């Protein structure tokens, strides 16, 4: 396969030098994978309002993960990996960033010959280290990877992106571990651009297995943007009454108390059979026992025993 590297004059070293360099990389890789690298994950991240810069060293000497069931992958994609015969599938530790962040790739000096570049590929091509047939449009950089390069924002839209190493000719370094998947997350923590994050009642967070940032609300608030107040959180029902949230229904106070005998009333604060407000229409109420009362009525109304 022929790759076109725009604005670059490609000069290949002699075959013997390439062979020696490749042998050195294979020995280095074989030595390195004897020790297990554990990717460092922040399991919960809070959205940062200013873009951050991330540096990825494109090298075989560090940050290569081997345990793709734990370190290299999250989600359903690890079920698609070919692990028959205990096949090792190394890669650079995955990166999770947020939309608008800056990604910089720094090349290993020993990898600058032969000339390499990075290509954006599909998930399936990433897993199998396959180069796309449409090459030039998928190259990340117009020139070979040498020194530090900033990845264009077109390759960092929301979603997961898959980058592999390609060479103009010669061996593939992808199978050695020089490939990277980057998950770019967007946030859904504002009703509008001028709104406060999570209505000021929560934090805009993501877990390592999530694809987006979302609101994690502080009680008694709830809702997508923590914009709703749960009236039951104040425990308005007395005497072990059960509170049912009636928000959104025709209920002025937004909740309803389910009372257990002998209690009754809006807040389960009244006793069945005892005096309650306005139980005596034209007179005064007096309790006789725990379950009975009497109305002392005004003239000309008469009383009845409850």
């Amino acid at each position: 396969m022929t790759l076109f590297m725009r604005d670059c004059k490609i000069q290949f070293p002699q075959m013997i030098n390439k062979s020696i360099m490749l042998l050195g990389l294979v020995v280095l890789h074989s030595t390195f994978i004897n020790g297990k690298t554990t990717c460092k994950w922040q399991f919960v991240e809070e959205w940062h309002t200013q873009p951050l810069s991330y540096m990825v060293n494109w090298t075989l000497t560090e940050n290569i993960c081997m345990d793709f069931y734990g370190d290299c992958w999250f989600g359903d994609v690890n079920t698609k990996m070919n692990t028959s015969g205990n096949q090792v599938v190394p890669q650079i530790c995955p990166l999770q960033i947020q939309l608008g962040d800056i990604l910089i790739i720094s090349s290993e000096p020993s990898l600058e010959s032969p000339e390499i570049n990075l290509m954006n590929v599909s998930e399936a091509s990433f897993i199998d280290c396959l180069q796309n047939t449409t090459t030039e449009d998928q190259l990340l950089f117009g020139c070979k990877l040498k020194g530090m390069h900033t990845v264009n924002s077109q390759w960092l839209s929301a979603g997961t992106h898959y980058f592999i190493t390609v060479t103009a000719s010669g061996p593939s370094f992808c199978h050695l571990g020089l490939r990277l998947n980057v998950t770019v997350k967007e946030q859904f923590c504002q009703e509008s651009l001028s709104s406060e994050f999570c209505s000021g009642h929560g934090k805009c967070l993501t877990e390592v297995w999530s694809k987006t940032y979302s609101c994690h609300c502080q009680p008694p608030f709830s809702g997508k943007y923590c914009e709703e107040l749960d009236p039951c959180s104040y425990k308005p029902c007395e005497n072990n009454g059960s509170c049912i949230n009636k928000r959104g229904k025709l209920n002025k106070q937004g909740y309803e108390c389910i009372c257990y005998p002998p209690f009754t009333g809006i807040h389960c604060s009244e006793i069945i059979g005892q005096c309650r407000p306005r139980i005596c229409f034209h007179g005064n109420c007096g309790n006789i026992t725990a379950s009975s009362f009497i109305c002392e009525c005004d003239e000309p109304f008469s009383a009845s025993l409850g």
Side-chain angles (χ1 to χ4, degrees):
M1 174 178 294
T2 300
L3 294 184
F4 299 94
M5 298 191 183
R6 296 183 294 272
D7 303 323
C8 286
K9 182 179 180 181
I10 303 178
Q11 295 180 348
F12 296 105
Q14 297 179 358
M15 184 60 66
I16 185 171
N17 292 336
K18 285 202 293 184
S19 300
I20 293 174
M21 187 276 297
L22 177 60
L23 177 61
L25 287 175
V26 172
V27 171
L28 174 63
H29 176 261
S30 299
T31 302
F32 179 72
I33 64 175
N34 288 332
K36 182 182 182 298
T37 296
T38 300
C39 298
K40 297 179 181 179
W41 292 103
Q42 282 287 111
F43 284 92
V44 178
E45 292 275 3
E46 185 172 2
W47 180 269
H48 43 267
T49 56
Q50 297 299 322
L52 296 182
S53 295
Y54 293 84
M55 174 82 74
V56 173
N57 293 323
W58 209 257
T59 174
L60 292 170
T61 60
E62 59 183 79
N63 209 31
I64 298 288
C65 63
M66 311 300 296
D67 180 12
F68 47 80
Y69 282 105
D71 290 335
C72 300
W73 295 87
F74 282 93
D76 297 332
V77 72
N78 57 24
T79 62
K80 305 173 186 177
M81 303 294 284
N82 181 9
T83 58
S84 59
N86 296 321
Q87 179 183 359
V88 175
V89 187
Q91 67 180 80
I92 295 174
C93 287
L95 183 63
Q96 295 193 0
I97 63 177
Q98 68 181 45
L99 193 63
D101 283 341
I102 300 169
L103 175 60
I104 301 171
I105 305 294
S106 176
S107 65
E108 169 70 35
S110 63
L111 295 176
E112 293 177 0
S113 180
E115 296 178 349
I116 66 173
N117 204 325
L118 305 188
M119 177 184 290
N120 179 74
V121 297
S122 66
E123 179 185 299
S125 296
F126 179 87
I127 293 172
D128 295 326
C129 279
L130 297 178
Q131 299 177 14
N132 287 353
T133 54
T134 56
T135 57
E136 190 171 7
D137 291 341
Q138 297 302 108
L139 292 176
L140 266 63
F141 309 118
C143 191
K144 74 168 187 176
L145 180 61
K146 181 179 181 180
M148 291 191 297
H149 293 258
T150 300
V151 178
N152 193 293
S153 59
Q154 75 177 94
W155 306 115
L156 297 176
S157 57
T160 301
H161 305 272
Y162 303 93
F163 306 142
I164 67 173
T165 303
V166 293
T167 58
S169 65
S172 170
F173 299 114
C174 178
H175 290 286
L176 297 180
L178 290 182
R179 53 180 162 179
L180 171 70
N181 71 77
V182 180
T183 298
V184 182
K185 302 183 180 183
E186 57 185 330
Q187 59 89 3
F188 295 96
C189 299
Q190 296 173 281
E191 287 190 86
S192 66
L193 292 177
S194 60
S195 300
E196 190 174 3
F197 278 85
C198 303
S199 304
H201 304 304
K203 292 185 177 182
C204 187
L205 304 175
T206 187
E207 295 86 4
V208 70
W209 51 82
S210 300
K211 298 297 184 182
T212 60
Y213 283 76
S214 58
C215 286
H216 291 238
C217 306
Q218 299 171 345
F221 296 94
S222 61
K224 182 177 181 179
Y225 305 109
C226 305
E227 76 282 9
E228 300 177 357
L229 178 64
D230 183 5
C232 287
S233 63
Y234 293 108
K235 298 181 179 180
C237 304
E238 301 177 18
N239 299 306
N240 295 319
S242 299
C243 182
I244 298 178
N245 196 324
K246 293 287 187 177
R247 186 174 47 237
K249 298 181 180 180
L250 296 177
N251 185 292
K252 291 183 179 180
Q253 65 240 24
Y255 64 90
E256 178 184 0
C257 289
I258 306 300
C259 308
Y260 299 97
F263 301 100
T264 187
I266 295 177
H267 299 108
C268 303
S269 57
E270 304 167 7
I271 300 176
I272 297 173
Q274 287 197 336
C275 290
R276 298 189 299 278
R278 296 181 295 278
I279 193 170
C280 297
F281 294 101
H282 301 285
N284 297 318
C285 178
N287 290 315
I288 299 177
T289 67
S291 59
S292 63
F293 64 91
I294 189 172
C295 287
E296 298 177 355
C297 304
D298 299 330
E299 294 290 342
F301 300 97
S302 60
S304 61
L305 185 65

